Amino acid sequence: MSNDLFNLTRRSFGGLLGGAAGAAALGTLARPALAQSFPSRPVTLIVPFAPGGSTDLVARLVAAKMGDALGQQVIVDNRGGAGGNLGAGTVAKAAPDGYTILMGTVATHALNPALYKKISYNAETDFAPISLLVNVPNVLTVNPNFEAKTVKELIDLAKANPGKYSYASSGNGSPLHLSGELFKKLAGVDLVHIPYKGSGPALVDVIAGQVPIQFDNMPSSTEHIKAGRLRALGVTTAKRVPTFPDLPAIAETLPGYDTYSWNALFAPAGTPKEAIDRLHDAAVKAVADEAVKAKLSDFSAVVVGSGPDELATLVKTELAKWAPIVKDSGAQID
C-alpha cells in the first residue's frame, strides 16, 4: 500500500471514529434532553370518584402545585363509577406516556380486587407507582339532632333498636362502607348501610337529617364538623388525630378498631422511567409546599410523599390486609 493511500485510509477511518464518537456524545446528551422534554403538554389526573370527596380535595390541592413544578397544567378529571374501578380502569388502559395518571386509593388498589368478582385491571401489574401522597383518617359523624353524643351511646342505642338506624357511606365496598361494617362487627350492632355515589351526596343527606349516621373521610367532613353541621363521635384510626385532639378514637370504646384511607399517584404500567421521575419529583414538591401542607393538615391528612418502591410495597401489604376483612364482612359486588 502506498503512503498516500495509507494516509487517506487512516484519515477516513479516523473520521469514521470521530463521527461515531460524536454520535455517541449526541446520544448521551439527547437522553437528558428527552427527559426534560416531558411534559410538553398538560397532564390529566383522573380522580375515580365524584367531586367533593376527600380524594377530589387532595387531588386539586396537589394538581395545582404539580403543574407549577412541571411547567404544564395538571387537569383534574373526575371519572366516578363502580367504586373507583371505572377511573382506575381508564388509566390502566391509557397510553403509557405519563400524560394520564391516577389518584389511586385504598379502594382502587386494595379493596376492589377483593370486592368485585370482575375487575378490569390488576392493581399490582397494570400500574407504575409514582408516590404515596397522604394518609387520611376517617371519622364517624351524626346529624347534630341525633340522640347519641358518644360512640358508647350510639352502640347502646343501636343495640336497643336493631335495624332501626342507617348509616351513609360513599358507596358499596368503599373504605367507608367497610369502616361501618367493621364497626358493626366489633360493636355487635345492626345498622342499615345506605350507599351513595361519593361522599358529597352522602354529606348532603346526613346534614339534612335524611340519614342519621355517616362514616366519611376526615377531609370532606372537617369544615362541617367545625361549623356544627355535623357532630363527630370518633376518628377511625387507632389513635386520636392532632387536628381534633379532644375527639376520641373509636378504638377507645372498641379496642382493635383501626381503619384509614390513603391517596397515591399511579401511571399506566410501562410508562418511561424519565416520566415517572418527573411526576414523582413534582408530586413530592407539591405535598412539601408549606401552603399545601397547611391545607392538608386542616383536615387531618398526614403528608407522606414516598418513592415509587415504597408505594409498590404498600399496595402489596394493603391487598393482603384487606382481603380477609372484605371476606368476613360478606361484601361482594358483581
Side-chain angles (χ1 to χ4, degrees), residues 93-168:
K93 294 175 177 61
D97 54 14
Y99 287 99
T100 303
I101 59 177
L102 174 71
M103 181 63 80
T105 68
V106 65
T108 60
H109 281 72
L111 302 181
N112 291 357
L115 279 165
Y116 287 80
K117 290 182 179 179
K118 294 181 180 180
I119 192 167
S120 65
Y121 61 89
N122 183 296
E124 291 187 79
T125 61
D126 286 346
F127 298 91
I130 299 172
S131 179
L132 171 64
L133 301 176
V134 296
N135 289 326
V136 185
N138 302 326
V139 62
L140 167 60
T141 61
V142 297
N143 180 278
N145 296 321
F146 190 61
E147 300 138 272
K149 293 180 173 58
T150 65
V151 172
K152 184 179 184 306
E153 288 180 9
L154 172 59
I155 292 171
D156 291 343
L157 195 62
K159 284 184 174 179
N161 301 275
K164 178 179 178 180
Y165 301 105
S166 56
Y167 76 92

Side-chain angles (χ1 to χ4, degrees), residues 7 40-41 73 94 100-101 248 256 314:
N7 289 333
S40 59
R41 55 186 170 87
Q73 187 178 9
T100 303
I101 59 177
L314 174 72

Side-chain angles (χ1 to χ4, degrees), residues 143 166 168 194 196 202-213:
N143 180 278
S166 56
I194 308 295
Y196 286 80
L203 279 166
V204 170
D205 275 7
V206 176
I207 291 170
Q210 300 298 318
V211 182
I213 306 161

Side-chain angles (χ1 to χ4, degrees), residues 298-321:
D298 283 345
F299 42 69
S300 304
V302 179
V303 170
V304 180
S306 81
D309 290 344
E310 290 85 353
L311 177 53
T313 298
L314 174 72
V315 170
K316 290 179 183 293
T317 302
E318 288 284 84
L319 284 166
K321 168 188 172 181

